[in-house]
Amino acid sequence: MRLPRAVKQQAAYPAQDALFVNSRRTGGNLITKWYVNDPFGANTRTAVDISVADYDLPPDISQPSGSTLDTGDCRLTNAVQSQDVTGGTGTFLYTNLHEANLWGGDTVDRAVCRLYQFNTSNNAVILDRIFGGPSLYYTFPTVAADFANNAYWVFSRGGPAEFLGVRAVETDAGIFVNSSTSIQPGSTNTTGTRWGSYFGASVDHNDGFTNARVWITGAYALAGSWDTTIASISNYTRGTLSVDPNTDFNVTGDLGGTFTPNTQNYFATNTGQTGLTYNVLETLPWLTTSRTSNNQLYSLIQTTTATVNTAQPVGFYSGTITFTDCALNGVTHVRNVSLTVRPLNNLCTRALPLNPGTITASNLHADGSDLTTCGGLDTKDIWYAFIAPCSGTLQVDTLDTPGDTDSTLAAFNACGSAQIACNDNFNSLRSRIRIPVTGGNTYYFRVAGANGVEGTWNLYVGYTSDLNRDGLTDFFDYLDFVADFSANDPRADFNADGVIDFFDYLDFVAEFSSAC
């Protein structure tokens, strides 16, 4: 019995309207081609026998459990005819069957695939060989071919020590270019019949047949039964994700202000020839990305834009953006990102209003390039603006600050003007300045850490007559001065000449009388 297979013809050929091919079901040494012309008219059929190596009925598959699986007979499983458009070497017929073979050193026959390639023009045999190995059963080969003389064979493999799974191998002009690749391994023994009915292969027509992807189906042993797998193989180079730039994304800006840079573009490219899928992951509340999951990438460049969310308090934040190639075992490309939110009053032009009394001042995460004449490397500064409610002598200090955080203080009439007062280490590491002020004028005060220090200070501002430092000049300040003066307390040395005397009293009364 011959049981011919219809040959899939991937282009129109003038030699025939249809083509069939068959082997001998129970074994033999011939493959027969049937040419059919004018099937709805004269319907002429021409048979051509092609001599090949002997092939014999395959043995049943032996599984790890000791049970066997029927392999059927030597009939051809499928056939395809295709042109070598790329190389121009001709038109070829590809087909296949399985048969028996006794390997050297093996004790019993094993099933092996026999793979054929014929030149359609002269029926010359290009490929006639078995594909298999000792101790294993190779069965139900199915072939697809492209227009570059490449063939792709999918088949079943299993044996006493291997559950039945799906594998594939490629030939180029009849030469094997690699060993077989596992597409879907089996996981158990299986039973039943018609094992080979679910194997198929076809090139992807969108690829134009050259360097094409091939879609395959196959059966594999699963949970005491079987299942089918669908996959694609190709002689394209595998799609591989590349992400540029490979640099950190470091962002800085003032609270509520402009961040620089506010965005970063990452460019994803595919360095292979097949498409790929990748994911973009970030879990940072201050960052968003224009792409997230299941991004399909072929030959074009895709851009992912990372954008900073400015609604964050002062501080330093860091994290990563991860690009994951969903193939290649999840290879990742990690990009570090950081955000520094500086104080709002990091610049003189954004100085915060200052009123008499004590506030908490912090230069944490501040920066700058200016220096004062009284402190070393005090670039990390913050700024305050004070509108004098009346004329008098104003004092600004960090004297009530606990700990040893070194501060510097400087006063200015305007942003960018020359300093009018500056102090570092008035009392230990604490600072104090005094300046005459005119009611209605604005004065700018710069607070910084000496030698690049970042810290927090208790910043006091008030007129010198505010003896109890509550931000007000009132009768309680007068009483406190009288008490200090009577007790010869150093705080009563109002004119700071080192002597507590009547001149201190007169100076205090004058300041007290003019203060507001």
Side-chain angles (χ1 to χ4, degrees):
M1 185 180 294
R2 296 192 175 186
L3 300 174
R5 296 292 187 191
V7 178
K8 177 183 179 182
Q9 300 187 70
Q10 296 184 159
Y13 300 104
Q16 72 279 331
D17 293 321
L19 179 64
F20 296 85
V21 63
N22 66 264
S23 61
R24 295 342 185 235
R25 184 175 68 84
T26 58
N29 60 4
L30 295 173
I31 300 293
T32 301
K33 293 170 59 178
W34 296 85
Y35 299 96
V36 179
N37 288 286
D38 193 16
F40 300 104
N43 190 25
T44 58
R45 298 178 301 278
T46 303
V48 176
D49 288 331
I50 303 173
S51 296
V52 295
D54 288 344
Y55 51 89
D56 301 301
L57 282 171
D60 290 342
I61 301 167
S62 178
Q63 300 184 87
S65 65
S67 62
T68 60
L69 198 65
D70 183 21
T71 56
D73 51 38
C74 292
R75 73 189 71 183
L76 300 176
T77 47
N78 80 319
V80 61
Q81 182 172 264
S82 186
Q83 271 185 316
D84 179 13
V85 174
T86 301
T89 59
T91 302
F92 301 101
L93 170 65
Y94 304 86
T95 189
N96 32 236
L97 54 80
H98 58 207
E99 60 152 325
N101 185 69
L102 179 62
W103 296 98
D106 216 341
T107 57
V108 296
D109 283 349
R110 308 289 181 181
V112 295
C113 298
R114 183 166 286 277
L115 312 178
Y116 298 109
Q117 178 181 352
F118 306 112
N119 187 305
T120 303
S121 300
N122 56 19
N123 297 318
V125 178
I126 307 298
L127 175 69
D128 175 7
R129 63 162 290 178
I130 60 174
F131 187 84
S135 304
L136 291 167
Y137 295 81
Y138 291 68
T139 56
F140 300 104
T142 304
V143 65
D146 63 17
F147 275 10
N149 202 7
N150 300 304
Y152 308 85
W153 317 80
V154 58
F155 55 89
S156 174
R157 191 182 87 174
E162 181 179 313
F163 298 119
L164 283 166
V166 182
R167 300 183 72 88
V169 69
E170 176 194 345
T171 60
D172 182 358
I175 300 173
F176 287 90
V177 297
N178 50 33
S179 57
S180 67
T181 300
S182 175
I183 304 300
Q184 176 63 60
S187 60
T188 186
N189 300 289
T190 188
T191 58
T193 58
R194 300 183 58 83
W195 178 252
S197 299
Y198 305 97
F199 286 81
S202 178
V203 293
D204 191 323
H205 289 250
N206 287 330
D207 293 329
F209 297 107
T210 303
N211 290 330
R213 286 168 294 182
V214 174
W215 292 97
I216 61 176
T217 61
Y220 63 99
L222 176 69
S225 182
W226 56 272
D227 206 346
T228 55
T229 185
I230 300 175
S232 67
I233 58 177
S234 177
N235 66 353
Y236 279 150
T237 57
R238 183 195 295 269
T240 303
L241 179 66
S242 175
V243 180
D244 292 306
N246 187 11
T247 55
D248 294 346
F249 177 30
N250 299 317
V251 184
T252 58
D254 299 326
L255 180 65
T258 302
F259 284 73
T260 305
N262 188 51
T263 60
Q264 171 69 54
N265 288 330
Y266 295 96
F267 302 100
T269 55
N270 184 348
T271 59
Q273 295 173 299
T274 59
L276 60 86
T277 301
Y278 69 97
N279 298 330
V280 182
L281 175 65
E282 57 79 22
T283 57
L284 307 172
W286 48 271
L287 190 74
T288 57
T289 55
S290 59
R291 295 182 184 273
T292 53
S293 59
N294 295 321
N295 303 288
Q296 307 296 314
L297 180 59
Y298 296 95
S299 59
L300 300 177
I301 296 175
Q302 288 185 348
T303 303
T304 298
T305 302
T307 305
V308 174
N309 170 16
T310 59
Q312 295 298 316
V314 173
F316 176 78
Y317 309 87
S318 63
T320 59
I321 302 173
T322 302
F323 298 80
T324 303
D325 191 336
C326 296
L328 298 176
N329 297 317
V331 171
T332 59
H333 303 263
V334 179
R335 300 295 180 263
N336 296 318
V337 293
S338 69
L339 170 65
T340 301
V341 183
R342 300 174 300 208
L344 178 62
N345 57 337
N346 190 60
L347 298 174
C348 179
T349 54
R350 288 204 295 270
L352 294 179
L354 193 60
N355 297 309
T358 300
I359 65 168
T360 299
S362 173
N363 75 335
L364 294 175
H365 307 294
D367 61 8
S369 58
D370 296 335
L371 297 171
T372 58
T373 59
C374 59
L377 300 176
D378 59 341
T379 57
K380 296 185 176 183
D381 54 14
I382 51 177
W383 292 80
Y384 295 91
F386 179 80
I387 301 175
C390 58
S391 300
T393 302
L394 191 72
Q395 177 169 315
V396 181
D397 65 55
T398 59
L399 300 178
D400 294 333
T401 302
D404 296 319
T405 304
D406 197 354
S407 64
T408 67
L409 291 174
F412 300 82
N413 286 317
C415 291
S417 68
Q419 66 185 34
I420 56 178
C422 185
N423 178 254
D424 179 26
N425 301 337
F426 173 79
N427 181 359
S428 183
L429 298 178
R430 300 167 185 83
S431 307
R432 189 197 81 174
I433 56 175
R434 285 180 174 178
I435 60 171
V437 296
T438 301
N441 287 355
T442 300
Y443 300 87
Y444 295 87
F445 297 97
R446 180 182 186 271
V447 184
N451 297 311
V453 165
E454 292 185 9
T456 301
W457 299 275
N458 291 330
L459 179 67
Y460 165 79
V461 60
Y463 289 89
T464 53
S465 55
D466 180 22
L467 219 64
N468 59 13
R469 301 169 65 84
D470 65 356
L472 302 172
T473 298
D474 54 21
F475 187 64
F476 295 104
D477 296 302
Y478 183 84
L479 293 178
D480 286 344
F481 177 78
V482 170
D484 291 341
F485 187 83
S486 300
N488 205 34
D489 190 292
R491 289 179 296 178
D493 184 14
F494 196 74
N495 59 14
D497 64 357
V499 179
I500 299 174
D501 54 20
F502 189 63
F503 295 105
D504 295 302
Y505 179 77
L506 293 178
D507 289 343
F508 173 76
V509 170
E511 183 74 21
F512 182 83
S513 300
S514 63
C516 48

